Amino acid sequence: MAKRPHSSGVDNAHAETGDGVVVSRFGSEILFETESGITHRGKVRRKLADIVCGDFVRYEKIGSDYAITKILKRKNTLVRQYFRGTPRNIAANIDQVIVVIAPAPATDWQMLDNLLVSIHRLPAEALIVFNKTDLVDKNYGTLNEFKSLGYTIIKTNKDSGLAELKKHLKNKTSIFIGQSGVGKTTLTNILIPEINAPTKALSESSDHGQHTTSNSIMYQLPEGGKIIDSPGIRDFTPLPLEKALYQSGFIEFEPFMNQCRFHNCLHRNEPNCAIKQAVENKEISQRRYQSYLALTE
Ligand SMILES: Nc1nc2c(ncn2[C@@H]2O[C@H](COP(=O)(O)OP(=O)(O)OP(=O)(O)O)[C@@H](O)[C@H]2O)c(=O)[nH]1
Ligand SMILES: [Mg+2]
Ligand SMILES: [Zn+2]
């Protein structure tokens, strides 16, 4: 992985280079951690504008300043479509994306579908954390649908489920993502008690989160592994992919693929479509199919 800092040669006896990992980003500056675990601020060169939390980088030390000169090869990047198709990186080199949902604020299920499509594409492991279970009795909305699809769901609240969550976090780089106010930072604070990052109650008038966390920050977990706490999102649209690529993100389509009349069927208006038939037979949920249609419009 990262190399130790070393002298870059005789021309500039004070210049040092080395590798590190981006812990957080604030505009053109980042916080990064060297392999020896020391955190520094660094200036990012303009051409590296898409640098993001989790990136492995090369730095150069000039005097007492650090400049980031290169983004090292990425394993993957979690990307969303920001404005009219513009991609925006959320994090890089992720092993596991943890979508946090809660009874309050109420879950946007279509956003969960969209996130799962993007996670499938990375690829990275997907984990659903159903938080604030103290606020509901048993069954929550359409969550069972995701369980039947085979997604792993962990139930947590401030006082329970944390041991199970820790097992899934161990020795991986994970990111918490989800709507504002679902409790991502609260969970992070419980996992790493010394950080005490700010959290805020839902707005009384709307029952929505108040967008408390403004920058993604990566933390080292005491048991090994890393967790990135990210700002709440209002919506999540995957990058514009070729339509065929969206299909594999709806994992329940898999058994019916290649059974449509047309080999390049988009499962919209085509005749003899096995996916549409499966929706009619209730083998694929109408709700999930609608999410698929919305993505492939
Ligand atoms: N009842 C209950 N409330 C919780 C639980 N976890 C967090 N909360 C509350 O939910 C509110 C929002 O928590 P945060 O941790 O700030 O949520 P967040 O997901 O980080 O929000 P953003 O940073 O805005 O994305 C706070 O008032 C927390 O105290 C829980 O398990 N049960
Ligand atoms: Mg937060
Ligand atoms: Zn079809």
Side-chain angles (χ1 to χ4, degrees):
M1 210 182 75
K3 285 184 199 154
R4 291 190 183 288
H6 58 271
S7 169
S8 67
V10 288
D11 289 337
N12 184 347
H14 300 294
E16 262 178 32
T17 64
D19 295 349
V21 62
V22 178
V23 169
S24 193
R25 174 180 177 171
F26 314 87
S28 65
E29 275 202 345
I30 61 160
L31 271 188
F32 71 98
E33 190 182 297
T34 62
E35 201 194 22
S36 35
I38 302 167
T39 307
H40 298 288
R41 267 180 189 278
K43 278 260 175 234
V44 178
R45 301 225 164 130
R46 198 180 292 257
K47 63 173 186 194
L48 306 180
D50 74 341
I51 198 166
V52 75
C53 203
D55 261 326
F56 295 110
V57 293
R58 174 111 349 119
Y59 68 82
E60 200 169 277
K61 185 179 180 209
I62 304 150
S64 57
D65 295 330
Y66 290 85
I68 306 306
T69 56
K70 194 177 174 191
I71 299 171
L72 305 182
K73 194 170 168 13
R74 287 168 169 153
K75 165 179 143 169
N76 59 28
T77 28
L78 179 60
V79 191
R80 67 192 287 208
Q81 196 182 144
Y82 184 54
F83 180 66
R84 292 194 190 149
T86 329
R88 177 167 281 195
N89 289 345
I90 297 176
N93 302 313
I94 300 298
D95 300 317
Q96 174 171 255
V97 181
I98 303 176
V99 186
V100 184
I101 61 168
T107 304
D108 177 344
W109 301 104
Q110 191 176 345
M111 184 158 103
L112 178 55
D113 295 328
N114 289 355
L115 275 161
L116 292 170
V117 168
S118 280
I119 299 167
H120 187 85
R121 168 121 175 94
L122 282 188
E125 287 175 57
L127 182 67
I128 299 172
V129 164
F130 175 41
N131 193 31
K132 306 197 192 182
T133 50
D134 51 302
L135 300 181
V136 281
D137 289 341
K138 216 165 64 219
N139 290 326
Y140 174 56
T142 196
L143 187 58
N144 271 337
E145 200 176 313
F146 293 88
K147 194 172 169 198
S148 350
L149 292 176
Y151 288 106
T152 308
I153 300 168
I154 297 181
K155 296 182 179 179
T156 55
N157 64 52
K158 282 181 197 167
D159 304 308
S160 82
L162 275 301
E164 180 68 11
L165 176 58
K166 282 183 187 176
K167 273 193 226 157
H168 285 263
L169 293 171
K170 199 165 178 187
N171 297 334
K172 294 176 195 162
T173 297
S174 307
I175 180 168
F176 284 142
I177 192 164
Q179 290 159 258
S180 176
V182 292
K184 300 179 291 300
T185 304
T186 306
L187 286 171
T188 309
N189 284 340
I190 297 170
L191 292 165
I192 312 150
E194 64 269 24
I195 60 176
N196 206 9
T199 63
K200 215 188 276 173
L202 304 190
S203 141
E204 278 184 25
S205 54
S206 68
D207 233 15
H208 286 156
Q210 308 208 51
H211 294 273
T212 311
T213 305
S214 48
N215 286 295
S216 290
I217 305 182
M218 180 192 267
Y219 301 100
Q220 185 77 47
L221 293 159
E223 295 86 0
K226 288 171 174 163
I227 183 75
I228 298 172
D229 180 25
S230 72
I233 49 176
R234 289 185 178 82
D235 47 41
F236 184 92
T237 311
L239 274 193
L241 305 171
E242 277 181 48
K243 290 185 176 162
L245 289 174
Y246 284 126
Q247 298 176 15
S248 59
F250 288 82
I251 54 176
E252 68 273 44
F253 287 14
E254 165 59 29
F256 306 99
M257 299 298 262
N258 306 320
Q259 290 179 30
C260 304
R261 182 198 286 180
F262 301 110
H263 79 279
N264 56 353
C265 184
L266 293 175
H267 325 303
R268 298 184 66 92
N269 304 311
E270 296 91 339
N272 291 3
C273 166
I275 299 291
K276 281 196 291 177
Q277 189 60 53
V279 174
E280 247 169 63
N281 298 347
K282 299 196 164 40
E283 291 164 304
I284 290 175
S285 110
Q286 177 67 33
R287 196 198 62 74
R288 292 266 297 171
Y289 179 61
Q290 291 303 325
S291 286
Y292 166 77
L293 289 183
L295 277 183
T296 52
E297 252 164 29

